[in-house]
Amino acid sequence: MIDGVRVKRLKVIPDERGFLSVVYPGVVKGWHYHRKQTDHFVFVKGMAKVVLYDNREGSRTRGEINEFFMGEHNPMLLVIPPLVLHGMKGVGPEPAYLVNTPSEHYVYDDPDEFRVPPHSAEVPYDWERRDG
């Protein structure tokens, strides 16, 4: 192997919502946040709605919600700071594929990932589709 080159085998973690960083159409994956990590989201295939909720103590935007419709029809990079709750929902007819380049390495023994149920009253957001 060339000096400095590293290969890491990735684990596929499938469930009824999707696998790795893939979300199936109509499925909600969220909420979660990180204490240290900043996420950098780009959807490279399909479309997803990413929702952020600022519940940070002392934040001037505490209580605000942002929605982003991201993917191959609306390409963008979304930077999500630590402690901001975030979730996603597949909104197109096919799975949405996320590439995330987080600021921290994943530590399997002590993951920097904290979850809130997707339909929890703790977050004032309704994941249902809004027609109109």
Side-chain angles (χ1 to χ4, degrees):
M1 187 74 73
I2 294 174
D3 187 35
V5 172
R6 286 186 257 160
V7 175
K8 180 180 179 181
R9 298 282 178 221
L10 302 178
K11 293 181 181 181
V12 175
I13 305 170
D15 63 24
E16 66 272 12
R17 302 170 306 155
F19 57 94
L20 283 176
S21 291
V22 176
V23 61
Y24 292 138
V27 172
V28 174
K29 292 178 90 171
W31 300 94
H32 75 274
Y33 65 94
H34 311 284
R35 290 190 177 140
K36 297 182 257 181
Q37 176 176 302
T38 297
D39 283 332
H40 301 83
F41 280 13
V42 175
F43 281 87
V44 295
K45 180 124 178 80
M47 290 293 296
K49 174 172 61 173
V50 177
V51 182
L52 311 181
Y53 175 61
D54 188 355
N55 195 32
R56 299 173 292 178
E57 292 287 336
S59 171
R60 66 178 181 80
T61 57
R62 185 180 175 131
E64 286 193 24
I65 291 175
N66 295 151
E67 287 182 324
F68 301 92
F69 290 87
M70 305 172 57
E72 59 189 306
H73 300 294
N74 191 30
M76 68 177 70
L77 167 65
L78 179 62
V79 179
I80 306 169
L83 300 175
V84 172
L85 281 155
H86 50 287
M88 66 181 105
K89 179 180 182 179
V91 295
E94 62 186 4
Y97 289 74
L98 170 68
V99 173
N100 181 22
T101 54
S103 63
E104 308 295 321
H105 291 285
Y106 189 83
V107 179
Y108 287 93
D109 295 335
D110 186 23
D112 178 27
E113 185 153 312
F114 305 91
R115 297 189 178 277
V116 173
H119 303 287
S120 169
E122 189 176 330
V123 181
Y125 186 77
D126 180 2
W127 286 101
E128 292 302 313
R129 191 175 84 185
R130 293 176 189 88
D131 295 330

